[in-house]
Amino acid sequence: MKTSQPKSETILSSTLKRFSSFSAIFGGTVLVALVVMICASITMRAIGMMPIQGDFELLQVGLAVVIGSFLPWCHLQGGNMFVDFVTTRLPRRSQSKLDAIAGMFIAIIMALIAWRSGAGALSAKSSGEVTMIREFPIWISYALMVPGLALTSAVAFDTAIR
């Protein structure tokens, strides 16, 4: 038996929700891999073995990807930070309008950050920029952040419209 979607949720909204959950799962997978790598490196150092060289570089690169991947789901769940102590006494309709305006700002800002991250990825790739120890190409982390940032922009826009 098929259940109907709430009226406020469109096909676009449900698609964005699905992509956001996949993005969060991807980010969680990368985060678990980073935790395993750091634990292994610390353990190796503690028992007198050579630790994983450049572990902190890989952690920095990986966490950038993780944060970008978690943002869409965070926004979709209302997990972003709102300063609502000024608006708590306003009528619900006024609060909704202000939330929509804030959502549009977030959508615009995230679109700009996604665009500039993409430009940064292209620039880092063309210059051959790499991390100092592992010589890991920096552009990969920028490029892996762009989909999450763009998806956050789309989710914020959709939320603002609804």
Side-chain angles (χ1 to χ4, degrees), residues 21-45:
S21 67
F22 288 142
S23 180
I25 290 168
F26 171 72
T29 303
V30 173
L31 184 59
V32 168
L34 290 171
V35 168
V36 168
M37 178 199 66
I38 292 298
C39 287
S41 186
I42 291 169
T43 302
M44 291 165 68
R45 185 176 289 125

Side-chain angles (χ1 to χ4, degrees), residues 84-137:
D84 63 352
F85 65 90
V86 176
T87 64
T88 53
R89 293 196 173 107
L90 292 176
R92 183 65 200 140
R93 184 175 175 139
S94 297
Q95 288 178 7
S96 294
K97 285 181 181 179
L98 289 173
D99 287 346
I101 292 168
M104 285 299 204
F105 280 131
I106 290 170
I108 292 167
I109 289 167
M110 285 295 143
L112 287 171
I113 293 171
W115 166 52
R116 295 312 304 160
S117 294
L122 293 174
S123 176
K125 185 175 182 181
S126 68
S127 70
E129 188 177 355
V130 294
T131 61
M132 195 190 263
I133 295 172
R134 299 288 297 185
E135 295 185 356
F136 182 83

